[in-house]
Amino acid sequence: QVQLVQSGGGLVQAGGSLRLSCAASGRTFSNYAMGWFRQAPGKEREFVAAISWKDGTTDYADSIMGRFTASRDNGENTMSLQMSRLQPEDTAVYYCAADLSFNALVRGLGGSWGQGTQVTVSS
């Protein structure tokens, strides 16, 4: 029901920063949580971060704790992921996701997904 369009990503050297954005639309968007997942070559999809659109509740994966910050702009119906101190291990395709349930979103059960954005971190 919610449509997601991603922007951002690219190539950056280790220690650098990138910002990802995800714009959402839909009749029930106000009830949706949004989050970020990533999938590296040869790896399964993993949770990165999530944020509730309504109350700002957030959750982060331990691997990126203290380096990534999720935020939202309710007026623009967008969610951003500011990534700092990037490491080669962060290289992956990053996906924006949305779901009516924050807990379901965190578990990777989001019903809506963005198209994916490549983030490549060189050493």
Side-chain angles (χ1 to χ4, degrees):
Q1 188 171 3
V2 173
Q3 298 177 345
L4 305 177
V5 179
Q6 299 179 225
S7 61
L11 174 65
V12 65
Q13 290 192 343
S17 300
L18 285 173
R19 184 180 181 89
L20 305 181
S21 295
C22 181
S25 63
R27 60 180 297 177
T28 60
F29 179 77
S30 62
N31 294 324
Y32 277 70
M34 299 178 66
W36 299 93
F37 291 77
R38 66 187 183 185
Q39 187 166 20
K43 302 293 185 179
E44 294 185 349
R45 182 184 64 188
E46 65 174 339
F47 169 77
V48 176
I51 184 169
S52 169
W53 190 254
K54 292 193 298 182
D55 58 21
T57 300
T58 57
D59 192 27
Y60 296 98
D62 291 340
S63 60
I64 57 87
M65 185 71 69
R67 299 189 296 117
F68 294 6
T69 301
S71 61
R72 71 180 190 274
D73 186 332
N74 290 340
E76 298 292 334
N77 293 329
T78 59
M79 180 260 197
S80 297
L81 183 69
Q82 178 65 47
M83 305 182 293
S84 300
R85 291 180 283 125
L86 284 161
Q87 306 168 2
E89 294 76 20
D90 297 318
T91 295
V93 176
Y94 284 70
Y95 296 92
C96 180
D99 195 88
L100 290 169
S101 168
F102 180 83
N103 290 334
L105 187 284
V106 172
R107 295 194 300 269
L109 302 178
S112 299
W113 295 86
Q115 77 277 18
T117 300
Q118 178 69 48
V119 172
T120 303
V121 184
S122 61
S123 59

